[in-house]
Amino acid sequence: MYVEEIGIDGAFVFTPRKHGDERGIFFELFKSTTVRDVVGSAFRTAQVNCSVSKAGALRGIHFADVPPGQAKFVTCLTGAVFDVVVDLRCGSPTFGQWRSVVLDDSSRRCVYLAEGLGHGFMALQDDSAVTYLCSSEYDPDREHTVYPYDPQLSIEWPADLDPCLSSRDLSAPTLTEARRSGLLPAHPAAAAGPRRPAG
């Protein structure tokens, strides 16, 4: 797999090598040793989710309480989506910043995002199927969302589609509101606090 950093600590794009012949193609969608070598720890798959969305469907920005958090390995099996990673970790150098990548059934790219990062996407085609490997099981009491059209985030969602959001995402707090209410996770370095001098 070809691995690319996208400018937010803990977020990577994996592009598999495709092998084709007259039958079609074969590729490795996920390889635990490759992910472990890139991210520095093993990825434990606790749950696998799949969503199928019409064009314009917008899901996110979602994140889970840390700890335990929920790392994700995301790909689009059919169709195409505009996939977004948002740094929601207080104390992070890139707090409030976002990066995007198009995931589709041609490039077969995958996105890995660490615990504490927010995730969302907009479907670019009807019947776009997105699969998520998740490091922890879904727990509604630990799951949260940030308003995807928050002006502070200024995510440049595709403008040529009519967005369709759930009522939960439409009424989600802004980044500032989520921070004030204590919903947002801390960046690992910030959570650890300052180091005490030896001796």
Side-chain angles (χ1 to χ4, degrees):
M1 283 189 173
Y2 173 73
V3 183
E4 177 186 359
E5 296 184 36
I6 59 173
I8 292 178
D9 180 37
F12 300 90
V13 174
F14 291 78
T15 304
R17 294 182 178 90
K18 294 176 285 186
H19 308 278
D21 58 25
E22 65 275 8
R23 300 168 298 172
I25 63 167
F26 171 87
F27 59 95
E28 294 176 345
L29 180 65
F30 174 86
K31 192 170 185 177
S32 61
T33 53
T34 301
V35 175
R36 181 199 63 205
D37 291 346
V38 170
V39 307
S41 60
F43 185 94
R44 172 184 168 270
T45 302
Q47 184 169 325
V48 180
N49 299 328
C50 182
S51 65
V52 181
S53 304
K54 69 177 185 179
L58 197 165
R59 301 176 186 264
I61 302 295
H62 300 155
F63 67 101
D65 285 343
V66 179
Q70 188 181 70
K72 295 177 181 177
F73 193 86
V74 184
T75 195
C76 182
L77 296 177
T78 59
V81 300
F82 179 83
D83 198 81
V84 174
V85 177
V86 182
D87 195 344
L88 302 177
R89 303 166 301 183
C90 297
S92 170
T94 53
F95 176 75
Q97 295 183 26
W98 61 276
R99 301 291 186 273
S100 66
V101 60
V102 173
L103 305 180
D104 57 35
D105 56 15
S106 175
S107 68
R108 305 293 180 178
R109 283 186 292 258
C110 308
V111 169
Y112 168 87
L113 55 148
E115 296 87 346
L117 295 176
H119 177 253
F121 69 84
M122 178 181 277
L124 301 176
Q125 301 175 14
D126 286 336
D127 298 320
S128 292
V130 174
T131 297
Y132 323 63
L133 306 184
C134 302
S135 66
S136 64
E137 294 183 7
Y138 174 75
D139 182 343
D141 294 331
R142 298 197 324 261
E143 300 288 328
H144 309 286
T145 182
V146 169
Y147 185 53
Y149 284 101
D150 180 357
Q152 184 178 349
L153 294 176
S154 297
I155 298 172
E156 297 173 5
W157 297 105
D160 57 342
L161 295 167
D162 292 326
C164 178
L165 288 78
S166 70
S167 57
R168 175 174 175 252
D169 290 341
L170 275 172
S171 60
T174 64
L175 183 68
T176 297
E177 290 168 342
R179 187 174 192 177
R180 285 176 181 164
S181 64
L183 284 179
L184 299 183
H187 187 269
R195 294 183 177 180
R196 295 184 180 181

